[in-house]
Amino acid sequence: MESVKRFFTNDIIMLVLVLINTGIIFISGFISEQGGTLLIIDSLFTLLFMFEAVVKIHVHGFSGYWSDGWNRFDFILVLLALPSCINVFGYDFPGTSILLSLRMMRAFKSFRLLKFIPNVDNLLNGIKLAFKASYIVAIGMIVFLLIFSIITTFLFGSAAPHYFGNPALSVYSIFRLFTIEGWYEMPEAIAANSGTAMAVFARIYFSILLFMGGIIGMSLVNSIFVDAMASDNNDEVLDKLSQLEKKLDKLNTKDI
């Protein structure tokens, strides 16, 4: 029993198993065979990871196991992958078609590799700080996108219905414009179905929209996001510098 505990609580062993399982999932993507050997092996890995959770709950207790965020993450991924085990031998069980459609969720088990990335907790904390710092600007960009999508629908919906035929299409098209994709195709499509004055207006309108949303707006969101992610490391450096200054002050005081 102790050897089983050591096996399932050893991070190196579990990393190797996750890597093997990820390789099997990748290879199985080239094979459409239902109930094939690779699917059986993958299902065995799913059951193995579920047994890992059971062992860890036994070792740490449910509250101790569940208090760790990575354990919760692993447990949810394994639950999502469990439907892949239902039809592993190729038999069609009545009433399981909906569950079987979730077999693709087994690919999410590969996300377990995230927990083995060095300093991944610092990376995730940086991402959280970045979202907190930039969500107001992001909301502002979404509002800006919605407003101009509605305006653009009324202005150019009839001239380019495949881009701006309704507000939903306009949201997608304007978002493409903000990513600087197809920014010249949209005004050209409008120009092809309208007069000279409307064509000139469309080119000016989309150039201004590209500059405001695609160049200034998206750059602002990106800069705030990246700056917030780096600020966590900056705080750590500043803290170390502060401690160093205190030590230098103490040495100077002793010398005096």
Side-chain angles (χ1 to χ4, degrees):
M1 186 62 182
E2 289 299 323
S3 59
V4 174
K5 291 180 180 178
R6 286 195 299 270
F7 180 87
F8 285 103
T9 56
N10 189 306
D11 286 340
I12 301 299
I13 293 175
M14 299 317 299
L15 171 60
V16 172
L17 292 176
V18 171
L19 287 172
I20 294 172
N21 189 212
T22 300
I24 290 171
I25 293 171
F26 179 80
I27 295 171
S28 66
F30 296 93
I31 303 172
S32 58
E33 179 186 5
Q34 186 177 14
T37 303
L38 290 178
L39 181 59
I40 294 173
I41 295 173
D42 177 69
S43 297
L44 291 175
F45 271 102
T46 301
L47 297 176
L48 186 70
F49 293 141
M50 179 57 71
F51 188 68
E52 174 202 0
V54 172
V55 171
K56 287 184 175 179
I57 291 172
H58 176 74
V59 172
H60 303 293
F62 184 79
S63 58
Y65 173 84
W66 199 251
S67 63
D68 188 309
W70 286 113
N71 286 338
R72 296 196 298 270
F73 181 69
D74 287 347
F75 191 79
I76 291 170
L77 291 179
V78 174
L79 284 182
L80 290 174
L82 277 178
S84 66
C85 302
I86 294 176
N87 206 31
V88 66
F89 297 108
Y91 297 108
D92 186 17
F93 296 99
T96 61
S97 57
I98 296 176
L99 290 176
L100 293 178
S101 66
L102 298 176
R103 278 190 300 178
M104 68 182 74
M105 303 302 287
R106 65 197 174 104
F108 281 91
K109 285 189 294 180
S110 301
F111 280 110
R112 293 192 66 186
L113 290 171
L114 291 175
K115 67 182 291 185
F116 299 104
I117 297 175
N119 299 319
V120 67
D121 290 329
N122 292 336
L123 176 63
L124 294 176
N125 288 333
I127 293 174
K128 288 179 183 178
L129 288 173
F131 274 115
K132 288 180 180 178
S134 60
Y135 79 95
I136 293 296
V137 180
I139 291 173
M141 281 295 297
I142 292 172
V143 173
F144 180 84
L145 173 65
L146 292 174
I147 290 173
F148 276 93
S149 296
I150 295 170
I151 293 173
T152 308
T153 300
F154 285 109
L155 288 175
F156 307 113
S158 58
H162 53 293
Y163 286 124
F164 310 108
N166 58 62
L169 281 174
S170 291
V171 166
Y172 177 68
S173 298
I174 298 297
F175 184 76
R176 284 182 59 195
L177 182 75
F178 286 175
T179 61
I180 319 181
E181 179 186 346
W183 65 271
Y184 62 91
E185 297 173 359
M186 299 174 194
E188 293 304 317
I190 295 169
N193 298 315
S194 57
T196 304
M198 180 59 77
V200 172
F201 173 72
R203 291 188 178 103
I204 295 173
Y205 176 87
F206 283 102
S207 296
I208 294 173
L209 200 59
L210 173 65
F211 182 76
M212 293 173 59
I215 298 176
I216 295 179
M218 296 299 287
S219 298
L220 181 63
V221 173
N222 288 334
S223 62
I224 293 174
F225 191 89
V226 173
D227 184 66
M229 283 193 67
S231 66
D232 186 44
N233 294 329
N234 293 339
D235 291 341
E236 184 178 350
V237 171
L238 290 173
D239 184 57
K240 289 182 178 179
L241 286 174
S242 177
Q243 293 177 6
L244 182 60
E245 287 177 356
K246 290 178 180 179
K247 290 180 180 179
L248 290 173
D249 290 338
K250 289 180 180 179
L251 289 174
N252 291 332
T253 303
K254 289 180 180 179
D255 291 338
I256 294 173

